[in-house]
Amino acid sequence: MALRPTVYIETYGCQMNVSDTELMLGKLTASGYESVEQPDGADVILINTCAIRDHAEQRVIGRLGEIKSKMKRDAVLGVTGCMAQRLGSQLLDRVKHVSLVIGPDGYRELPSLIESARGGVKATAVDFDLEEHYEDFTPRRFDGVKAWIPVQRGCDYKCTYCIVPTTRGPERSRQLSEVVRETEAVIASGISEVVLLGQTVNSYYDGKHDFADLLRAVGSVPGIRRLRFTSPHPNDFSERVIRAMAEIEAFCEHVHLPMQSGSTRTLRRMLRRYTREKYLECVDRLRAAIPRLALTTDVIVGFPGETEEDFQETLTAIEAVGFDDAYTFKFSLRDGTPATRFPASDTISDDVASERLARLIATVRAGSRERNMGLIGARREVLVEKSARRGGLLQSRTRDFKTVMIPGDVSLIGKYLQVELTGTTGSTFLGQVVGQRAALPMAV
Ligand code: SAH
Ligand code: SF4
Ligand code: F3S
């Protein structure tokens, strides 16, 4: 029997890209490819890329150079994802050993384009397809404990710093019934935690159902134990959605709520469509409905025209909210985004941005350390996710998204345990197991 051709996919960027890689691998393995863990000697190598910051693209360019030395002579190298969409055929010119450039809506063509490329025909596929949700693909999931389920593709906001609307196209939502079908399939496979994915996931609308309907439908699939979503936009939290979150038992007490800035002036220039006050009000509404809600966020520093005063407002907003954690970024100017039209005099120097970033990180850390210290001695239910890199421990997670390291062996992965939080590094916890919940039948 002839050996099956092998495919290796390396993924950069957000969970949406990870989810797309799962779809691509599903499609390719169904088309006769064997998935391998290393690029060395693979017949097909795909790099699924991110374009969100310049640094993300530079990493990919560097990686494409490294991959060249690992490629066998007749291997096909393809670039997929957001950078592929952004640069299109330019990538074929710039990196000669790349033969395929395929954007996020072009993965249906993968098997045929790879076939042609193996015959020496290079190709670019970067058209948007507003109908495309890859409903007939069966994703090949990497994570055996939680399932990432895309419910929306693209983005209709136009935040002035952001490349995503360019790389992922207009917003479109999957049909609720398809999301429920996929949820039922992952539950039947033994996974009990589901994370719904979209760029502004709470603006979900399939023509008939809004995000509240979707949450209720997914949250009532038998066997679901944990339900999360990422990332919501602060403007799309209707009362219906918040009520659904509060009422669904599986919904976990954590929301990642990107703030970007605490200065109304900066938020306006970012075209985020909310003010500092509106953001804080959204936090209050969520907390009033969901006691013990943990909040994390994204913040950008050094946005064009950001003054020290604006930055101070970001720091005070962070303190006012009391985030559990935050992803912090230095602004990166992306070609083709509206932010390129700010006058050069608005540019914040790298020194100033770096210095603000350091102060921002210190503020975030101080706040989360204080919150986490207050949790020592508390009991929580955790789901064991994987082996930790450190000394024989397991990494587990609470419903409110705290990472807890616990002793135990790999047979506990995928199990729910009761733990007492016994220590914290400030960000992650050490825990002692105090009980195990009876296992539910795998398929319900
Ligand atoms: N759709 C999500 C964000 C996706 S991008 C949302 O609206 O919240 C993830 C994060 O990257 C953003 O929240 C933002 O903080 C950051 N980001 C996006 N573009 C950036 C840029 N040009 N420079 C620096 N950070 C950026
Ligand atoms: Fe980018 Fe804004 Fe859309 Fe998020 S909401 S993906 S930050 S344009
Ligand atoms: Fe990056 Fe594209 Fe996600 S730009 S952050 S991989 S949507």
Side-chain angles (χ1 to χ4, degrees), residues 52-53 161-162 199 231 258 260 272 298 300 329-332 334:
I52 200 81
R53 285 167 288 275
Y161 51 81
C162 188
Q199 292 300 345
S231 288
Q260 313 302 358
R272 282 294 286 181
D298 292 347
I300 298 174
F329 309 103
K330 254 197 285 185
F331 170 73
S332 170
R334 312 305 292 125

Side-chain angles (χ1 to χ4, degrees), residues 328-375:
T328 52
F329 309 103
K330 254 197 285 185
F331 170 73
S332 170
L333 185 65
R334 312 305 292 125
D335 272 352
T337 60
T340 54
R341 297 199 287 269
F342 288 116
S345 56
D346 280 354
T347 305
I348 305 300
S349 76
D350 192 55
D351 284 354
V352 170
S354 299
E355 190 269 334
R356 285 182 190 163
L357 184 67
R359 276 190 285 158
L360 174 65
I361 292 172
T363 303
V364 169
R365 285 206 183 135
S368 61
R369 166 177 289 269
E370 195 183 319
R371 291 180 80 78
N372 289 342
M373 295 293 274
L375 289 175

Side-chain angles (χ1 to χ4, degrees), residues 223-238:
I224 191 163
R225 298 272 284 267
R226 288 186 170 193
L227 174 58
R228 306 179 188 276
F229 55 78
T230 199
S231 288
H233 192 287
N235 282 6
D236 294 308
F237 272 121
S238 63

Side-chain angles (χ1 to χ4, degrees), residues 429-440:
F429 289 88
L430 263 179
Q432 209 58 51
V433 180
V434 292
Q436 181 170 349
R437 269 174 65 173
L440 284 178

Side-chain angles (χ1 to χ4, degrees), residues 12 20 89 109 140 143 187 205 216 323 332 369 374 376 434:
Y12 294 84
D20 280 352
S89 58
E109 306 302 325
R140 191 178 164 125
D143 194 322
I187 302 284
Y205 185 65
R216 288 186 193 275
F323 288 108
S332 170
R369 166 177 289 269
I376 304 288
V434 292

Side-chain angles (χ1 to χ4, degrees), residues 12-14 17 49-52 82 163-164 167-168 199:
Y12 294 84
C14 64
N17 251 16
T49 61
C50 174
I52 200 81
C82 291
I163 196 73
V164 171
T167 61
R168 296 231 158 221
Q199 292 300 345

Side-chain angles (χ1 to χ4, degrees), residues 152 198 200-204 210-212 229 231-238 241 257:
Q152 178 192 58
T200 57
V201 68
N202 51 342
S203 70
Y204 172 93
D210 69 359
F211 193 57
F229 55 78
S231 288
H233 192 287
N235 282 6
D236 294 308
F237 272 121
S238 63
V241 168
L257 188 64

